[in-house]
Amino acid sequence: MPKLNENYLNVKASYLFSEIAHRVAAYTAANPDKNVIRMGIGDVTLPIGSEMIAKLHEGVDAMASSETFKGYGPEQGYDFLRNGIVDYYKRNGVTIAADEVFVSDGAKSDTGNITDLFAKDNIVMVPDPVYPVYVDTNTMDGREIIYIDANAENNFLPLPDPKVHADVIYICSPNNPTGAAYNKEQLKVWVDYALANEAVIIYDSAYEAFISDETLPRSIFAIEGARKCAIEFCSLSKTAGFTGTRCAYTIVPKDLKFTASNGTEMSLNAMWLRRQTTKFNGTSFIVQNGASAAFTEAGHKQCMENINYYRENEKIISEALDKRNIRYFGGVNSPYIWFECPNGMESWEFFDLMLNKIQVVGTPGTGFGKNGTHFFRLTSFNNHENTREAMKRFDTLFD
Ligand code: MLT
């Protein structure tokens, strides 16, 4: 009999969004005539822009001829894509090198897989509430997790306590689920803390394209010192509509080095390359070709048009919450709006009320941690018509 990884006994039976999908499927099976509006999982609804689509088609066509056919691709991703990413960073005032960019199929898998680089006895610090992948993947490995409270008092932007030590720190900004985004001064506090603790920051920047306050950093590498303590994870899922197409990239600076117990200096860039080349064979040429268009001027413009469309939904949701004097966070620099459940309700209870009474699906804050117990998350990713209808129905909850 194999000895199992019994750490799986310590994670919830199903992943948050699987649990929601099951509950919604059960409801729709029992109520096939009801029009359910989905504002739960952060999944985009607009089609991919024509610049990216043209390059996806070009990629498919390349496979049809022996002159242009592609087999296994370069280990870290095609140069044309990695150079496009480097240029995009440059336009945002941040210098990275192409061999620090690793193209992959998703920020979710990369933020989960990065745990391979760290020993089991590290102290992992995560904010609560937080994207459940960070907690679940470390729990699966049996690592000790310490939580740092994100709450209304600190605007869901907690800062480190210098008296508390951590080895691996997770930061997501703009934040999933709260929508809160760190400014440069706040991020500098985290970078200084990480350097003082010889810790590494796992920086999830998947929602950077949603930042509308131009003073906010889009990359942790805009902060001095971050190249020595941070890994950054980005994604085309929400930026370019690639949730189904799958493409992401992770930046591992070559300055990121730590000393092993035998005194050997270990480079996280070299370790990640070793890990990826062993366990991953890259993102398809077709997808990378399509993704490359998102970093051109014309492609980026199309991505921003879609993001601006979703921003209209943020306004529709915010106005409905304002009307009922419901306190909320996010929705300005992020596609997520995080609000207090009315009448102090528990969030799964509120989820069931929303589903059963008005057929609107959101995400219960409890799924992101104890500080989400009385909060609820809506996404701006549906269309205008459904978002308006959902918020009209929402208003009836108070009649
Ligand atoms: C979410 O809704 O939190 C995200 O869509 C999940 C993800 O990106 O994996």
Side-chain angles (χ1 to χ4, degrees):
M1 190 169 83
K3 291 191 181 63
L4 300 181
N5 178 353
E6 295 190 3
N7 294 316
Y8 277 68
L9 292 171
N10 302 325
V11 288
K12 290 193 191 76
S14 74
Y15 180 59
L16 172 62
F17 293 102
S18 313
E19 170 67 24
I20 292 172
H22 289 143
R23 289 195 189 203
V24 175
Y27 180 83
T28 47
N31 302 276
D33 55 320
K34 298 282 191 199
N35 168 22
V36 175
I37 300 178
R38 289 173 166 77
M39 294 162 73
I41 191 164
D43 197 1
V44 291
T45 52
L46 289 173
I48 295 173
S50 60
E51 294 286 324
M52 279 66 72
I53 292 291
K55 294 294 278 182
L56 286 166
H57 281 298
E58 183 187 270
V60 172
D61 289 342
M63 294 304 193
S65 134
S66 49
E67 282 74 49
T68 48
F69 172 80
K70 300 279 187 297
Y72 291 124
E75 295 172 332
Q76 288 184 225
Y78 282 93
D79 283 351
F80 61 76
L81 176 54
R82 288 188 296 131
N83 289 334
I85 293 166
V86 169
D87 286 347
Y88 175 67
Y89 270 69
K90 202 162 162 194
R91 294 201 291 279
N92 287 325
V94 173
T95 304
I96 53 165
D99 59 0
E100 296 176 323
V101 179
F102 294 76
V103 175
S104 75
D105 64 344
K108 178 181 184 175
S109 36
D110 277 7
T111 50
N113 293 333
I114 202 77
T115 53
D116 276 9
L117 307 195
F118 305 108
K120 303 286 180 260
D121 56 356
N122 280 297
I123 298 174
V124 173
M125 179 185 276
V126 295
D128 172 341
V130 81
Y131 180 42
V133 170
Y134 317 150
V135 170
D136 286 358
T137 54
N138 279 290
T139 305
M140 286 168 180
D141 278 357
R143 274 190 206 90
E144 182 190 344
I145 300 174
I146 54 174
Y147 293 93
I148 171 159
D149 284 327
N151 49 39
E153 285 64 52
N154 56 29
N155 286 318
F156 289 96
L157 293 169
L159 291 173
D161 176 349
K163 296 188 292 297
V164 177
H165 171 80
D167 303 300
V168 181
I169 303 155
Y170 285 80
I171 299 178
C172 177
S173 182
N175 188 269
N176 180 8
T178 67
Y182 283 109
N183 65 28
K184 284 192 180 150
E185 292 69 35
Q186 292 164 326
L187 263 193
K188 178 82 174 102
V189 174
W190 275 111
V191 167
D192 290 346
Y193 168 84
L195 292 171
N197 282 274
E198 292 188 81
V200 63
I201 296 176
I202 306 297
Y203 190 76
D204 187 345
S205 191
Y207 299 96
E208 60 81 18
F210 288 80
I211 290 177
S212 46
D213 175 349
E214 288 303 328
T215 67
L216 297 180
R218 293 181 182 278
S219 162
I220 195 164
F221 301 122
I223 310 301
E224 199 193 329
R227 286 183 56 84
K228 287 191 185 310
C229 66
I231 301 176
E232 179 158 291
F233 300 81
C234 289
S235 168
L236 279 88
S237 283
K238 320 291 158 83
T239 306
F242 271 46
T243 48
T245 309
R246 313 300 311 148
C247 192
Y249 51 98
T250 291
I251 316 293
V252 192
K254 281 174 287 179
D255 302 355
L256 197 52
K257 292 176 182 161
F258 294 95
T259 310
S261 52
N262 70 359
T264 308
E265 190 177 71
M266 294 181 81
S267 149
L268 264 60
N269 179 289
M271 286 173 76
W272 187 239
L273 179 64
R274 187 70 175 86
R275 190 266 172 216
Q276 290 297 79
T277 47
T278 307
K279 298 194 182 181
F280 180 61
N281 254 340
T283 308
S284 79
F285 167 74
I286 300 165
V287 168
Q288 292 194 53
N289 208 47
S292 67
F295 299 96
T296 64
E297 210 178 303
H300 183 66
K301 190 162 162 271
Q302 288 183 340
C303 294
M304 291 315 295
E305 279 163 13
N306 283 8
I307 287 174
N308 285 334
Y309 177 93
Y310 297 131
R311 283 182 175 144
E312 287 298 311
N313 288 337
E314 290 163 18
K315 285 202 199 102
I316 296 167
I317 298 168
S318 305
E319 278 164 19
L321 296 170
D322 283 336
K323 184 175 169 203
R324 293 294 177 176
N325 283 322
I326 294 172
R327 185 158 66 154
Y328 62 91
F329 299 82
V332 180
N333 298 300
S334 128
Y336 298 124
I337 288 116
W338 176 253
F339 64 91
E340 266 172 327
C341 300
N343 307 320
M345 278 177 93
E346 192 282 321
S347 65
W348 274 111
E349 194 192 343
F350 188 61
F351 172 91
D352 288 333
L353 177 77
M354 294 264 287
L355 181 59
N356 290 296
K357 201 156 170 209
I358 61 171
Q359 294 78 48
V360 174
V361 180
T363 308
T366 309
F368 299 101
K370 73 169 173 36
N371 288 328
T373 303
H374 298 289
F375 281 83
F376 204 73
R377 194 194 78 174
L378 288 178
T379 83
S380 60
F381 286 127
N382 215 309
N383 62 35
H384 291 170
E385 195 193 352
N386 282 344
T387 306
R388 272 195 209 97
E389 171 62 21
M391 299 324 285
K392 206 167 101 191
R393 292 187 200 168
F394 181 84
D395 208 49
T396 66
L397 282 178
F398 304 90
D399 290 340

